[in-house]
Amino acid sequence: MGLLDVSIVAVALPSIERSLGASTSGVQWVVSGYSLAFGLALVPAGRLGDAWGRRRMFLISLAGFVLTSAMCGAAPSLFLLIVARLVQGFAAGMLNPQNSGLIQDLFGGVERGRAFGMYGAAVGLSTAVGPIVGGVILAVFGGPDGWRWIFYVNVPIGLVALALAPRFLPGRRPDQAADPTPMRRRLDPVGTALLGAGVLALMLPLLEYDHIRELWWLAVLGAATLVGFARWESRVARIGHRAPLLDPRLLISTPGYASGAGLGLAYFVGFSGIFIVLALYYQLGLGYSPLDSGLAVTAFAVGSAIAALAAGVVVVRWGRRLTVIGLCLVVIGLVITAVVLRSHTGTTAALLAAGPLLLAGIGSGMVISPNITLTLGEVPVRMAGAAGGALQTGQRVGSAVGTALLPGVYYTALGVTGHRPGSAVFAALLCAVGFVLAALVIAVVDLIRTGDRVRGATLRPAPEALGD
């Protein structure tokens, strides 16, 4: 549910805009704000799970997610909806690392690779099927306020999960003592604030694209803040009084981690925003219903689901070659989709785009799941929690930037071309391709550097006890 809510709102943005009388840039905060809050909560939540127990944190976070989902559905104004989405994103970010942490605690060797493969499949699939699920919900609950059920649907599902989790999730074993490290040394509030402020400053000009000329200085401020974040994290790691949000030693001394984290960040910038762009194009540009808009990207979701499940099984044999092939397929599929949508309209557009979107979806399924497994493959167990949280933080920050950047490109191109949606979606998709190409370059460099060697830790034996 937490990851599905990143993309499920994409098809509802035009409906929310009409229902609440909101501006287009304001409505984009419903998606981007959620992703940003999600990303910033991941690492602190992982450390809270280490200290208080993952099952306990799972239950607390899930209860918060259910409550804030109801608040989103009941929001009477755009401002309150954005506030509720920020808190909902924070709750989802608290929930997510408990899942990956349990995998790291309970599995080792080939089993860990397969478990992360299934986890990565859930990540890719939930994001890909979001527009379809959102379109179905809007079709069932019609009317100007039908979008509210996109959030309300989380409530009964969440309540069932709350009832089942105490039974099925393992608690702390008797031989597993809690980490005695004081909580104040586990958290990095300054690093979290610097990262959030830097990304927020970079996003604001993208969201307020009508005033981008007046707000350009925020991008400079954001870049400077991120440089300050990097310097602060280096200082925290060097002094050792507390745990840094992003430990520089992970990037420097862990084989494959820096390349995998960079690949994930670049890919999610391009990947996450395409669903919003396609929803805007199909609904506002071609007049599709939300359901038709969601169905138009079904091919991508189907391809992603099938490939992600298969990739989780073969990643231990194929290694980085799998992500290189996948990224090539994404580039080819998106380029063909952009060309088709620029020159065709009506129902023909969705039909002709289905083939290349299927190809892009297959490629996407070969990227997200294997990259998680390969990036964490050689991380020492003692740093596993921080490494997994930092990797996901990069992906969520990339998602926040992408969901702000690509719609901004779409609307800017729409104004420049005299409101020609085909040209606008062409420009936005090519922008996405640019970030996917950046991820491809990183993957190729990593493949050349490591050869065909698969990350060794995915084949190591399981730890004897939880918490080792």
Side-chain angles (χ1 to χ4, degrees):
M1 288 189 302
L3 292 167
L4 191 70
D5 265 42
V6 176
S7 62
I8 193 174
V9 183
V11 294
L13 291 183
S15 301
I16 295 173
E17 186 178 344
R18 290 191 297 268
S19 175
L20 299 180
S23 66
T24 301
S25 59
V27 169
Q28 284 179 235
W29 272 107
V30 176
V31 180
S32 298
Y34 178 91
S35 295
L36 180 59
F38 191 126
L40 293 178
L42 287 168
V43 174
R47 290 176 181 149
L48 289 172
D50 291 339
W52 293 345
R54 302 196 192 283
R55 181 171 64 175
R56 180 183 300 175
M57 282 302 302
F58 183 96
L59 293 170
I60 293 172
S61 305
L62 180 58
F65 185 82
V66 170
L67 178 61
T68 51
S69 294
M71 292 169 58
C72 289
S77 66
L78 179 65
F79 174 76
L80 291 178
L81 176 59
I82 292 174
V83 171
R85 280 286 282 177
L86 288 171
V87 184
Q88 185 195 32
F90 190 81
M94 297 283 285
L95 181 65
N96 193 262
Q98 314 316 323
N99 301 323
S100 59
L102 283 167
I103 291 175
Q104 289 169 308
D105 283 344
L106 297 171
F107 296 96
V110 175
E111 285 185 343
R112 178 182 287 184
R114 290 173 179 168
F116 269 121
M118 296 179 68
Y119 174 77
V123 173
L125 180 60
S126 59
T127 306
V129 303
I132 305 171
V133 176
V136 171
I137 292 174
L138 288 173
V140 174
F141 300 97
D145 287 333
W147 60 269
R148 298 183 183 277
W149 287 95
I150 282 179
F151 304 111
Y152 284 144
V153 75
N154 291 331
V155 176
I157 299 173
L159 291 176
V160 171
L162 277 171
L164 296 177
R167 177 181 176 184
F168 289 104
L169 290 184
R172 196 186 301 275
R173 284 171 47 167
D175 60 345
Q176 181 190 12
D179 192 328
T181 306
M183 185 54 62
R184 66 178 182 274
R185 294 189 59 188
R186 289 176 173 272
L187 303 181
D188 181 15
V190 175
T192 302
L194 286 172
L195 177 62
V199 174
L200 183 62
L202 287 175
M203 287 172 55
L204 276 172
L206 303 176
L207 289 166
E208 299 293 335
Y209 50 85
D210 290 334
H211 306 285
I212 193 169
R213 292 184 178 179
E214 294 89 351
L215 298 176
W216 64 268
W217 58 273
L218 281 173
V220 178
L221 178 62
T225 305
L226 292 178
V227 171
F229 165 74
R231 293 175 64 88
W232 171 263
E233 295 300 285
S234 298
R235 178 179 181 273
V236 170
R238 185 175 64 254
I239 295 175
H241 290 319
R242 64 174 68 247
L245 183 67
L246 176 59
D247 195 327
R249 291 171 295 183
L250 283 170
L251 303 176
I252 297 172
S253 60
T254 305
Y257 187 84
S259 57
L263 189 158
L265 174 64
Y267 183 71
F268 270 80
V269 173
F271 164 74
S272 301
I274 62 174
F275 301 106
I276 299 178
V277 167
L278 291 175
L280 294 172
Y281 168 74
Y282 283 125
Q283 291 186 50
L284 301 182
L286 302 186
Y288 282 29
S289 68
L291 177 58
D292 291 338
S293 173
L295 292 176
V297 297
T298 300
F300 189 103
V302 170
S304 179
I306 295 173
L309 292 173
V313 177
V314 302
V315 62
V316 293
R317 294 199 306 269
W318 283 64
R320 183 57 76 191
R321 289 174 295 172
L322 197 63
T323 54
V324 170
I325 296 171
L327 288 165
C328 290
L329 294 179
V330 174
V331 169
I332 295 170
L334 288 183
V335 169
I336 297 176
T337 301
V339 173
V340 167
L341 295 183
R342 183 176 62 175
S343 54
H344 293 81
T345 58
T347 56
T348 307
L351 292 175
L352 293 177
L357 281 178
L358 175 64
L359 185 65
I362 292 173
S364 185
M366 296 167 64
V367 174
I368 298 175
S369 168
N371 188 59
I372 292 174
T373 303
L374 295 171
T375 305
L376 299 177
E378 295 194 14
V379 172
V381 175
R382 61 183 174 80
M383 303 178 72
L391 174 63
Q392 293 180 68
T393 298
Q395 293 176 351
R396 290 305 115 206
V397 168
S399 177
V401 173
T403 54
L405 173 63
L406 296 189
V409 172
Y410 177 86
Y411 281 113
T412 300
L414 200 63
V416 171
T417 60
H419 296 278
R420 294 170 57 188
S423 299
V425 75
F426 179 81
L429 289 180
L430 287 189
C431 180
V433 168
F435 285 97
V436 178
L437 284 173
L440 177 59
V441 170
I442 296 172
V444 170
V445 171
D446 189 49
L447 177 61
I448 294 173
R449 184 175 58 84
T450 61
D452 292 339
R453 182 174 58 87
V454 179
R455 303 301 181 208
T458 57
L459 303 177
R460 291 174 189 158
E464 293 182 0
L466 291 172
D468 280 359

